Amino acid sequence: MAVTVDDVAVSLGRTPPADGSIDALRWAMWIKDALFLIEARRKAMAPDSTLDQEVVDYVVREAVAAHVRRPDDATTVNVATDDSSVQRTYQSSSGRVAILDEWWQLLGLSREGKAFTVSLVDVGHGCHLPWCNLMFGASWCSCGVDIARRPIYEGADGDL
């Protein structure tokens, strides 16, 4: 099932905009925008994967509904006291369709904890000391090659 303007209206608890109206066209465009964002991230992070269509529909519907509630990136508030008044503008939205981090997690496309991966050394490089734990079948290095690309612990001061 693909998300429609009517689905977004039901999520909001309001009557859908008339077909062909500017609101209906905007909502349809925002649905396409949300799908575009999801597909772009899927291609970048997991190009060979497929996403659960129910989860995609949920995320698109909720992202568009949130954007319909607050489509602009500013809210103006007027405060009047006696003979004076003050007008303030507050940021309340990103001004575009946005997908929350929790929705990216539902989709399996969260970047949380995946900022980068660094491999400092090739474990099979052969520069570990003969008495390094890796040489005895351990899964961790005790001579420091995994940190500095050369032995720095366990008597590494001498010649190899």
Side-chain angles (χ1 to χ4, degrees), residues 126-131 145 150-151 155-160:
C127 59
H128 292 274
L129 294 174
W131 49 86
V145 172
R150 64 179 183 79
D157 297 338
D159 294 331
L160 294 178

Side-chain angles (χ1 to χ4, degrees), residues 32-124:
K32 289 179 187 174
D33 290 349
L35 288 168
F36 170 79
L37 293 172
I38 292 168
E39 184 61 14
R41 188 176 281 199
R42 184 199 64 78
K43 284 181 182 177
M45 292 183 70
D48 297 330
S49 70
T50 57
L51 301 176
D52 182 344
Q53 191 59 46
E54 279 186 72
V55 176
V56 171
D57 288 347
Y58 169 78
V59 170
V60 169
R61 185 182 66 242
E62 293 306 311
V64 173
H67 189 58
V68 169
R69 285 185 198 105
R70 291 188 180 160
D72 296 321
D73 61 351
T75 301
T76 303
V77 177
N78 291 314
V79 178
T81 307
D82 295 331
D83 293 335
S84 66
S85 67
V86 175
Q87 182 175 350
R88 302 236 183 229
T89 302
Y90 298 95
Q91 300 296 322
S92 62
S93 170
S94 66
R96 62 183 177 86
V97 174
I99 298 176
L100 301 177
D101 290 338
E102 64 193 60
W103 296 337
W104 286 123
Q105 288 176 350
L106 277 175
L107 290 164
L109 299 174
S110 175
R111 290 189 175 146
E112 189 172 294
K114 297 180 182 176
F116 57 87
T117 301
V118 176
S119 176
L120 296 175
V121 68
D122 177 11
V123 173

Side-chain angles (χ1 to χ4, degrees), residues 17-34:
D19 290 339
S21 69
I22 190 68
D23 283 337
L25 295 173
R26 289 174 72 197
W27 292 17
M29 180 182 66
W30 294 338
I31 290 169
K32 289 179 187 174
D33 290 349

